[in-house]
C-alpha cells in the first residue's frame, strides 16, 4: 500500500501564494501518477492537477491553469502544488492522490486514483 500525507495548507489573502507538498511512503515503486483534488463545503470533490511519475506530463483544471503549478520529486517520492494568484473560490480541503496502476495515467477522474491523503485546509480571505 501507499500512504500519502499533505502539508503546507493555511490561510492566505486573495492574490497571495501558497505551496503544498505531499509525501508518499510504503510501496512507492507502484506509483504511476499523482494528483491534487479539492473539496469545498457543500460541493463535490473536483480535479485540480495531475502529473505522471515517469514522464512528468501535467494536466490542470481550467479554473487553476496559469496560476497553479504541479511538480514532483521522484527520488523523494513527493509531489508539490505551487498556488499563485489565489482567489476566494480556491478555498477548500486539498487532497493528494496517487495512481497505483499503469492505466489511465494522469486522469482527471478521482475514481481512477488508488491512494489518498487525509487532506490539508487552504483558506483564501478576500
Amino acid at each position: 500500500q501507499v500512504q500519502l500525507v499533505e502539508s503546507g495548507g493555511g490561510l492566505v489573502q486573495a492574490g497571495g501564494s501558497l505551496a503544498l507538498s505531499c509525501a508518499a511512503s510504503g510501496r512507492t515503486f507502484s506509483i504511476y501518477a499523482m494528483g491534487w483534488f479539492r473539496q469545498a463545503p457543500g460541493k463535490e470533490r473536483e480535479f485540480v492537477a495531475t502529473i505522471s511519475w515517469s514522464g512528468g506530463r501535467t494536466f490542470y483544471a481550467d479554473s487553476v491553469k496559469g496560476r497553479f503549478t504541479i511538480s514532483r520529486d521522484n527520488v523523494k517520492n513527493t509531489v508539490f502544488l505551487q498556488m499563485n494568484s489565489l482567489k476566494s473560490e480556491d478555498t477548500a480541503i486539498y487532497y493528494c492522490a496517487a495512481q497505483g496502476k499503469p492505466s489511465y495515467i494522469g486522469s482527471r477522474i478521482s475514481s481512477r486514483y488508488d491512494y489518498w491523503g487525509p487532506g490539508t485546509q487552504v483558506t483564501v480571505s478576500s
Side-chain angles (χ1 to χ4, degrees):
Q1 297 295 310
V2 174
Q3 295 78 45
L4 305 174
V5 180
E6 305 94 338
S7 62
L11 174 66
V12 297
Q13 292 190 36
S17 299
L18 196 65
L20 305 181
S21 64
C22 174
S25 60
R27 296 170 60 87
T28 56
F29 57 85
S30 67
I31 296 176
Y32 287 86
M34 294 186 72
W36 290 93
F37 291 77
R38 66 187 183 186
Q39 186 169 20
K43 297 183 178 180
E44 64 181 34
R45 183 170 53 189
E46 66 173 346
F47 167 78
V48 176
T50 186
I51 185 169
S52 64
W53 221 236
S54 180
R57 301 182 187 87
T58 59
F59 295 95
Y60 298 89
D62 290 339
S63 60
V64 306
K65 191 174 298 182
R67 299 188 297 121
F68 291 10
T69 301
I70 187 171
S71 60
R72 91 287 200 222
D73 186 327
N74 302 69
V75 177
K76 296 182 179 180
N77 298 311
T78 303
V79 65
F80 307 92
L81 185 68
Q82 178 64 49
M83 305 182 291
N84 299 323
S85 301
L86 284 163
K87 306 174 181 179
S88 59
E89 49 263 47
D90 293 318
T91 296
I93 297 177
Y94 283 70
Y95 297 93
C96 174
Q99 290 182 291
K101 294 176 287 187
S103 58
Y104 302 104
I105 296 175
S107 177
R108 301 170 184 264
I109 303 174
S110 61
S111 62
R112 291 174 176 171
Y113 288 79
D114 304 287
Y115 311 102
W116 294 84
T120 185
Q121 178 69 48
V122 172
T123 302
V124 183
S125 61
S126 59

